[in-house]
Amino acid sequence: MTAETQTLATGTRRGGSRIRLAPYSGVLFLLLFIVFFSLRLPRTFPTTATVTSIVGDQSITLILALGLLITLAAGQFDLSAAQNLGMSAVVCSVLMANQQMNPLLAVLITLLLGVLIGVVNAVLVVVIGIDSLIATLGMSSVLLALTGLFSNYQFVGPVPAGFQEVANHEVLGFPIVAGYAVVLSVLVWYVLEHTPAGRRTFAVGANLDASRLAGVRTGRYVAGSLIATGLLASIAGVLVTAKTGSVAPTLGPAYLLPSFAACFLATTQIKPGRFNVWGTVVALVLLATGVKGLQLMGTNLWVTDLFNGLALLVAVSAAVLSSRRRRKAKG
């Protein structure tokens, strides 16, 4: 991985951040979005239906973003995660709808497949030594081909109605899939922030060579991060299957950009200069609110990709510029 790419992947660390944006600026922008769209769209935006839609739609994206966050914390990229999600959704749907397999067994096989994809990525990166960008980009193309093979480029489904309740059952008016996302967020936050494994993962991402010299088994943590990302991507795929009932073979790629955008925007929130779970949650809700407001205003479909793309560019630019200022200050 090049020095510039490493800068993007690790960001600036605790005590060295000079990002000028306030740690809670995302919350302020979120409030501004809510006020602006509520005034412009008083009948459609400030409603329970809008809140439920944002929460339900973004829960899957958040789970995928959590997986990407772990890999980014270790200084790596996993560009195959979104297609892992898409293929997992197709495989899970094929097993239940076409093969009439027991849903529990189908889910177990799908999750094992996600872990296997993470293991292959780990072998390519850690054992063979391929840059994670290249390895996972190639893996993404392989998974895209396999998704087409399994689905024959057709919608797959529907899955049993009982299985759909796994994601669509409501608790206090919100789909239960949001509860899964919250539980996984807490779990990832605890592991990354409050366990030795999490601290070593951040150390590996900050400086691979220094961590190795300090006695950290860097390969183990890089491999573990890629496997964890594969598992979380597969979990997201299973939940997409339950949420939609029928799965499109082109499902996966649409999740990649918003997930990465949320992860990089997180480096400007809560803990500036550091990939962090709650910053990712804030960033994702901010992006989702902006996109939902624009959609309700009747903007064209391409505006969603434009909005997420600009957000990603702004976030990465902030991380790079902050890192350059830090290096100049030290020099």
Side-chain angles (χ1 to χ4, degrees):
M1 183 177 292
T2 64
E4 191 70 11
T5 303
Q6 181 69 13
T7 298
L8 291 178
T10 59
T12 53
R13 299 297 165 188
R14 248 187 247 185
S17 174
R18 295 196 176 201
I19 294 176
R20 294 178 181 177
L21 293 176
Y24 301 98
S25 59
V27 177
L28 298 177
F29 277 111
L30 176 60
L31 293 175
L32 288 175
F33 276 178
I34 292 173
V35 172
F36 173 77
F37 288 121
S38 295
L39 292 175
R40 287 294 303 272
L41 306 164
R43 295 184 178 180
T44 55
F45 185 81
T47 64
T48 302
T50 298
V51 175
T52 303
S53 174
I54 291 175
V55 171
D57 291 345
Q58 297 308 310
S59 296
I60 304 297
T61 307
L62 175 57
I63 293 172
L64 181 63
L66 292 172
L68 294 174
L69 186 71
I70 296 172
T71 309
L72 290 167
Q76 308 297 318
F77 287 88
D78 188 348
L79 298 182
S80 68
Q83 193 53 48
N84 186 346
L85 180 157
M87 192 179 78
S88 295
V90 166
V91 169
C92 190
S93 186
V94 165
L95 292 176
M96 282 187 279
N98 295 357
Q99 304 299 320
Q100 307 300 315
M101 186 175 289
N102 179 278
L104 182 60
L105 181 58
V107 168
L108 179 60
I109 291 174
T110 303
L111 295 182
L112 289 175
L113 178 62
V115 171
L116 177 61
I117 293 168
V119 170
V120 174
N121 282 335
V123 170
L124 293 173
V125 174
V126 177
V127 179
I128 299 178
I130 303 175
D131 185 280
S132 62
L133 277 170
I134 305 301
T136 58
L137 180 61
M139 177 59 73
S140 180
S141 183
V142 171
L143 296 180
L144 183 62
L146 291 175
T147 301
L149 174 65
F150 295 144
S151 66
N152 197 28
Y153 297 100
Q154 304 289 329
F155 272 83
V156 183
V159 298
F163 181 71
Q164 294 182 43
E165 284 297 305
V166 169
N168 295 315
H169 178 71
E170 292 190 353
V171 178
L172 300 177
F174 293 96
I176 196 170
V177 67
Y180 303 149
V182 171
V183 170
L184 288 172
S185 295
V186 173
L187 177 62
V188 173
W189 164 76
Y190 179 80
V191 171
L192 287 179
E193 301 289 346
H194 296 283
T195 67
R199 289 190 289 271
R200 288 168 186 160
T201 299
F202 276 118
V204 169
N207 194 316
L208 186 68
D209 293 331
S211 298
R212 184 183 296 113
L213 292 173
V216 177
R217 296 182 177 179
T218 56
R220 176 179 296 181
Y221 289 96
V222 170
S225 70
L226 290 164
I227 295 171
T229 300
L231 175 59
L232 284 168
S234 188
I235 290 173
V238 169
L239 292 175
V240 166
T241 303
K243 187 172 184 295
T244 61
S246 296
V247 177
T250 57
L251 174 73
Y255 286 92
L256 186 65
L257 185 58
S259 298
F260 266 115
C263 287
F264 278 101
L265 275 175
T267 63
T268 69
Q269 301 300 310
I270 312 300
K271 291 188 174 183
R274 181 186 179 99
F275 292 109
N276 65 92
V277 170
W278 304 122
T280 302
V281 173
V282 170
L284 191 60
V285 173
L286 174 64
L287 292 172
T289 302
V291 168
K292 177 60 71 173
L294 292 173
Q295 289 174 342
L296 291 175
M297 288 176 64
T299 55
N300 294 320
L301 294 176
W302 53 264
V303 172
T304 298
D305 290 331
L306 177 65
F307 187 85
N308 287 326
L310 289 175
L312 178 59
L313 290 174
V314 169
V316 173
S317 297
V320 172
L321 292 174
S322 176
S323 179
R324 287 178 182 173
R325 286 195 297 269
R326 183 170 62 103
R327 289 199 301 267
K328 288 181 180 178
K330 288 183 177 181

